[in-house]
Amino acid sequence: MTVHHPQTPQFFLTSPSPCPYLPGQAERKVFTHLVGERAPALLDLLSQGGFRRSQNIAYRPACERCRACISVRILVDEFVPGKSTRRILARNRDLVGRMATPSPTSEQYSLFRRYIDHRHAFGGMAEMSVLDYAMMVEDSQVDTRVIEYRRKGPDSAFTAQSDGDLVAVALSDVMADGMSMVYSFFDPEQDQRSLGTHMILDHIERTRKLGLSYLYLGYWVEGSKKMQYKIRFKPQEHLTPRGWERYDG
């Protein structure tokens, strides 16, 4: 008879469902719960194996005939912005990012709703209510932060009280070896800012300042236009059957 220690994580497998990235493919996921005081250490360990977090669930793809999802992390100490990324940083000089404990607001949800309706109207998050959004932000037993990006006000260098309109939000975890971008969204009417790229660049610098080595971006799916942006940030490492391997291609 197998005896499970009460603190040993148990893993479960989802039923097949349509893949959101590759047409005609079916996806399955293996997952476990992140609960209790051991949740941060468990997330650190599982992230090394390519798991991601969603609320109090850690999951990774476990598809039967497809291995297209590849875990990606940026080597922040070696990253140097190129010409295009420097232009994006310059374009967003009027923004300030504030990192705080995860606390959902109606302003965040309003921006989230505009982003989803414009970019992912038929996706899995299209029906999320304000309560669902609050759970996504708050339901975490690891070190989670919310970073709000706003237009600078006249006194933004001294106080957050004068910051302007909210234009982007990132929900991110701080782990033992790096930061992990769990979810981010932005004003869909400000495409010229390249806000998604700007948030990644800002997270690279935040991770570096925390003295950590990696920024985890989740999964890159070759052949999916939605995921193509993730391999622009080099050098980075990809999780392969042999472990994490450097990717400069």
Side-chain angles (χ1 to χ4, degrees):
M1 181 178 68
T2 301
V3 178
H4 294 281
H5 189 279
Q7 290 188 325
T8 300
Q10 297 186 45
F11 293 86
F12 307 90
L13 188 64
T14 65
S15 299
S17 61
C19 176
Y21 305 114
L22 299 177
Q25 296 284 354
E27 71 166 358
R28 300 189 79 177
K29 296 176 182 176
V30 60
F31 69 94
T32 189
H33 297 277
L34 296 168
V35 294
E37 60 183 17
R38 297 180 68 246
L42 180 58
L43 179 63
D44 289 343
L45 179 64
L46 292 177
S47 295
Q48 291 291 323
F51 279 73
R52 297 285 289 164
R53 184 184 71 82
S54 176
Q55 295 179 233
N56 285 323
I57 295 291
Y59 68 91
R60 65 164 295 168
C63 305
E64 294 178 359
R65 290 183 293 273
C66 179
R67 296 293 182 269
C69 292
I70 298 174
S71 296
V72 173
R73 65 186 187 185
I74 301 170
L75 300 165
V76 300
D77 288 334
E78 298 183 49
F79 177 81
V80 178
K83 288 184 179 179
S84 63
T85 49
R86 288 199 299 269
R87 285 195 294 269
I88 292 170
L89 289 170
R91 200 177 302 150
N92 291 288
R93 277 197 302 258
D94 62 328
L95 299 184
V96 60
R98 308 271 185 196
M99 186 161 67
T101 55
S103 180
T105 67
S106 58
E107 187 181 25
Q108 290 172 15
Y109 179 71
S110 177
L111 180 62
F112 169 80
R113 194 71 263 164
R114 295 204 311 273
Y115 172 79
I116 291 294
D117 291 344
H118 189 274
R119 292 290 188 97
H120 305 287
F122 301 102
M125 305 178 87
E127 302 301 322
M128 284 182 64
S129 67
V130 64
L131 180 59
D132 295 328
Y133 173 77
M135 291 180 64
M136 181 178 77
V137 174
E138 291 181 319
D139 196 6
S140 170
Q141 297 194 36
V142 301
D143 188 0
T144 300
R145 315 286 178 89
V146 164
I147 300 95
E148 291 188 342
Y149 298 86
R150 297 178 180 273
R151 288 190 176 89
K152 292 180 181 178
D155 301 315
S156 286
F158 308 102
T159 173
Q161 301 303 315
S162 62
D163 291 347
D165 295 337
L166 182 68
V167 299
V169 175
L171 182 67
S172 304
D173 293 337
V174 179
M175 303 186 301
D177 64 352
M179 291 189 72
S180 175
M181 295 185 72
V182 176
Y183 193 74
S184 60
F185 54 93
F186 51 84
D187 187 342
E189 296 181 359
Q190 299 198 41
D191 284 341
Q192 75 283 358
R193 286 186 177 272
S194 300
L195 288 166
T197 298
H198 176 71
M199 283 190 281
I200 292 175
L201 294 171
D202 179 70
H203 273 69
I204 290 172
E205 187 58 27
R206 289 178 185 274
T207 304
R208 184 183 289 132
K209 287 181 177 178
L210 288 171
L212 303 173
S213 300
Y214 308 109
L215 176 62
Y216 289 83
L217 292 185
Y219 304 114
W220 168 58
V221 182
E222 188 172 8
S224 171
K225 292 183 178 180
K226 295 179 183 178
M227 296 294 184
Q228 197 62 27
Y229 72 93
K230 294 187 180 183
I231 58 169
R232 293 174 51 199
F233 303 90
K234 302 184 184 76
Q236 60 182 234
E237 291 182 341
H238 291 181
L239 184 58
T240 76
R242 297 174 296 278
W244 290 96
E245 295 186 334
R246 188 183 181 95
Y247 177 84
D248 291 299

